[in-house]
Amino acid sequence: LELPPPLTRTQLEAMYRYVIAQIDCMRLAGYPASSPPPLDAYVASGGAAFDPYGDLVQRGIHFSHDDLLRCQHVRERPDFLDW
């Protein structure tokens, strides 16, 4: 199985905007979502520096499946994720 190529900086910036939108969505749903690292740190990590849902789970905060799905499908979701 061949791994996909790493994301470009443009793709990582789009992913960062998507992460921010997901955080905003989770906060609007009442969850205490943490803020992500600065953009440059996120990009330098290849996008691995922050997962808004993993962060909640690590802090013992449970969320509904419906909220997860709704927040994963915000309008900022990059098209390249839908392959």
Side-chain angles (χ1 to χ4, degrees):
L1 183 64
E2 190 174 323
L3 294 175
L7 296 177
T8 65
R9 177 163 183 107
T10 300
Q11 289 173 317
L12 287 165
E13 289 173 353
M15 285 296 297
Y16 190 79
R17 289 188 298 275
Y18 177 48
V19 166
I20 297 293
Q22 291 177 88
I23 290 168
D24 290 345
C25 179
M26 292 300 280
R27 287 177 177 164
L28 284 172
Y31 300 98
S34 297
S35 296
L39 172 62
D40 287 337
Y42 182 84
V43 169
S45 76
F50 188 77
D51 169 16
Y53 307 106
D55 176 68
L56 290 170
V57 170
Q58 286 179 350
R59 292 188 289 139
I61 299 165
H62 302 282
F63 45 87
S64 77
H65 184 71
D66 289 343
D67 287 336
L68 171 70
L69 290 177
R70 185 171 38 77
C71 291
Q72 284 182 333
H73 289 90
V74 292
R75 65 186 158 113
E76 290 85 353
R77 180 182 174 92
D79 291 339
F80 63 82
L81 292 180
D82 299 324
W83 43 276

